[in-house]
Amino acid sequence: MHGIAPNAGQRTATSMRNFYNGFAVIMSAFGGHANAIEIMDSMFVPEGYTRVYGWSFLYIFSLTLPHSTAVQLAWPDQALHNGNVYGILPLTLAKQLSIYLMLVHQLIAFCLYSAPLYYMCEKALRVHTKPIYIRVLARLPVSLSVAAFAVAFPFYGTINAVVASITSPLVAFAFPAAAYSWLHRTTARQQACVRPPPSWMMKLFGGWTGIHALNVFIVAFFIVDGTGFGMFYSFSQFIRDVQHFKPFPQCYQC
């Protein structure tokens, strides 16, 4: 077992770029990891939205946070400059099993995240009503393009920060807050609200006016800080990685 490194809890980001790259990944952990589960379930059982969203955070607090915190405390300096935890952890049986499980996870994630692109490609080629063996052929350009990009730019941590800064602040935070306030913008709609804010929150923020003000703050904060600064610094890191490692690198953080 590797213990906690000296002064590990006192380490901070060395630049704004490192700070916002980490901030983007944290937003992805708390927003993106829960979205797929709760959105899929709410399509079938809309009234279970809140319950499923709450339970989906169990995944984050039981799996994502503990091991991420442990790695940060054990190898703080290496974690700052290495975009993949597998480049830090010593070679053990647990690490090998973890790699196999991660490959399965990545295969499933690839299918889920590529599905919208598949449907768009089928529509563009006008084969979306054809048999499956024809639609599979239409999906090949998407799969090959994604695979080629992954091999050309294997910057795992940086790509994660780029995707997180584009999607997580908007999908998980800004859009829901804006939609909730827009839907309940009038007194009549507020009175007919199916799921109003908790009573303690209404009391704390002084009613619907305070709730709308809170949502405005959430929208502004995550658009400016998450999407704005997050995209700027994550793309700047991506450009630095391309300039340093070049496309199709034979060795990336080996």
Side-chain angles (χ1 to χ4, degrees), residues 11-22 68 71-85 88 157-158 237 241 252-253:
R11 308 295 175 89
T12 59
T14 57
S15 65
M16 293 291 285
R17 184 177 62 254
N18 288 336
F19 173 81
Y20 277 103
N21 283 342
S68 299
V71 171
Q72 291 289 340
L73 292 176
W75 296 279
D77 295 324
Q78 296 92 323
L80 182 63
H81 301 288
N82 199 309
N84 196 325
V85 68
I88 302 175
T158 304
Q237 181 63 45
D241 287 346
Y252 172 62
Q253 294 183 341

Side-chain angles (χ1 to χ4, degrees), residues 58-118:
L58 182 64
Y59 165 86
I60 300 169
F61 286 101
S62 63
L63 181 63
T64 307
L65 281 183
H67 89 264
S68 299
T69 303
V71 171
Q72 291 289 340
L73 292 176
W75 296 279
D77 295 324
Q78 296 92 323
L80 182 63
H81 301 288
N82 199 309
N84 196 325
V85 68
Y86 292 125
I88 302 175
L89 297 175
L91 183 60
T92 61
L93 177 60
K95 176 181 176 178
Q96 290 178 316
L97 291 175
S98 175
I99 292 175
Y100 296 142
L101 291 174
M102 181 56 70
L103 289 175
V104 175
H105 166 76
Q106 292 298 329
L107 178 62
I108 297 172
F110 176 82
C111 296
L112 286 175
Y113 294 140
S114 298
L117 297 177
Y118 291 153

Side-chain angles (χ1 to χ4, degrees), residues 116-129 135 138:
L117 297 177
Y118 291 153
Y119 302 148
M120 293 170 62
C121 189
E122 292 173 9
K123 279 276 190 178
L125 297 176
R126 301 182 183 279
V127 296
H128 55 285
T129 58
R135 286 185 282 134

Side-chain angles (χ1 to χ4, degrees), residues 168-228:
S168 294
L170 300 176
V171 175
F173 301 101
F175 287 168
Y180 189 84
S181 284
W182 176 257
L183 180 63
H184 303 98
R185 63 188 183 277
T186 63
T187 304
R189 291 192 175 186
Q190 293 168 10
Q191 294 174 347
C193 180
V194 177
R195 193 175 294 276
S199 57
W200 64 266
M201 185 176 288
M202 295 288 282
K203 184 177 180 180
L204 179 64
F205 291 97
W208 279 100
T209 301
I211 296 297
H212 291 322
L214 174 63
N215 284 338
V216 169
F217 171 78
I218 292 174
V219 172
F221 176 81
F222 282 102
I223 287 180
V224 174
D225 239 28
T227 304

